[in-house]
């Protein structure tokens, strides 16, 4: 459950965002299905990586679907892919938050392994194509997760807009009285 506390003078108002996403919008389904398909791709990548009987931390250059892999990366890909698929099934704010968090983690992972390329510390056998894939997946997941939450033109009845503009919400409430 996400919440935001606004400060208005000495009064505090807690805003709950549990039902903030536009659940009936068509693009919401597109973003959920997109994240689920991305999860299925990661599961397929992980399974193909495990079928090659490579070592768990082997950095010998084994590939699956054009990306380098080893046993650890394959298992991690399966776990993250299943998590994305579960997020698609659950939907709502859970899927949105999960997509944003995983998107940020994919981007941070890309930066981490960009620095670890061709070193002994590259325990997931990343190559540059893995780094680029991690960046792209991270950005796409973040876009999927931010749908309905981040925009320059949120409608004024959106709870995220009201939380960022508490003075406008108070004026609207006092005008209706």
């Amino acid at each position: 459950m996400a919440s935001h506390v606004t400060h208005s003078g000495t009064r505090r108002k807690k805003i709950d965002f549990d039902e903030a996403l536009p659940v009936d919008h068509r693009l919401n389904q597109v973003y959920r299905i997109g994240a689920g398909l991305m999860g299925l791709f990661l599961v397929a990548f992980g399974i193909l990586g495990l079928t090659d009987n490579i070592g768990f931390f082997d950095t010998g250059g084994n590939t699956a679907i054009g990306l380098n892999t080893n046993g650890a990366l394959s298992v991690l890909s399966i776990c993250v892919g299943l998590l994305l698929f579960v997020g698609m099934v659950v939907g709502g704010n859970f899927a949105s938050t999960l997509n944003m968090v995983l998107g940020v983690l994919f981007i941070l992972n890309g930066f981490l392994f960009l620095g670890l390329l061709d070193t002994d510390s590259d325990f997931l056998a990343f190559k540059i194509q893995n780094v680029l894939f991690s960046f792209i997946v991270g950005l796409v997941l973040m876009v999927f997760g931010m749908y309905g939450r981040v925009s320059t033109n949120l409608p004024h009845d959106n709870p995220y807009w009201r939380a960022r503009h508490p003075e406008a919400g108070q004026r609207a409430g006092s005008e209706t009285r």
Side-chain angles (χ1 to χ4, degrees):
M1 175 175 79
S3 63
H4 181 77
V5 178
T6 60
H7 301 282
S8 166
T10 59
R11 291 179 23 194
R12 287 182 172 210
K13 180 180 175 187
K14 184 177 178 182
I15 301 171
D16 293 326
F17 294 127
D18 286 339
E19 300 301 322
L21 291 179
V23 294
D24 58 344
H25 199 282
R26 288 181 303 206
L27 286 178
N28 192 23
Q29 295 300 320
V30 171
Y31 294 149
R32 280 178 61 190
I33 292 170
L37 290 175
M38 196 172 303
L40 290 177
F41 175 83
L42 288 172
V43 168
F45 168 73
I47 290 172
L48 288 173
L50 287 177
T51 58
D52 285 342
N53 294 326
I54 54 179
F56 200 71
F57 290 112
D58 184 24
T59 57
N62 297 303
T63 62
I65 314 177
L67 299 170
N68 271 28
T69 189
N70 62 14
L73 181 59
S74 295
V75 170
L76 184 63
S77 296
I78 291 171
C79 293
V80 172
L82 288 174
L83 189 60
L84 278 171
F85 191 76
V86 167
M88 178 197 77
V89 171
V90 172
N93 280 357
F94 174 76
S96 173
T97 304
L98 177 69
N99 288 342
M100 283 193 292
V101 168
L102 288 178
V104 169
L105 290 176
F106 265 93
I107 290 173
L108 291 176
N109 183 58
F111 279 118
L112 172 68
F113 282 96
L114 182 62
L116 295 177
L117 283 179
D118 297 327
T119 66
D120 293 336
S121 300
D122 186 7
F123 60 93
L124 292 180
F126 263 51
K127 297 293 180 202
I128 193 66
Q129 62 267 27
N130 296 74
V131 171
L132 294 174
F133 177 79
S134 188
F135 285 145
I136 292 168
V137 168
L139 287 173
V140 170
L141 282 175
M142 284 177 53
V143 168
F144 288 173
M146 289 182 193
Y147 172 68
R149 291 186 173 201
V150 178
S151 175
T152 58
N153 57 355
L154 289 173
H156 293 207
D157 62 345
N158 185 297
Y160 295 101
W161 186 90
R162 288 185 301 207
R164 294 180 192 130
H165 303 90
E167 66 287 344
Q170 288 174 352
R171 280 196 308 262
S174 63
E175 291 172 4
T176 59
R177 292 181 188 171

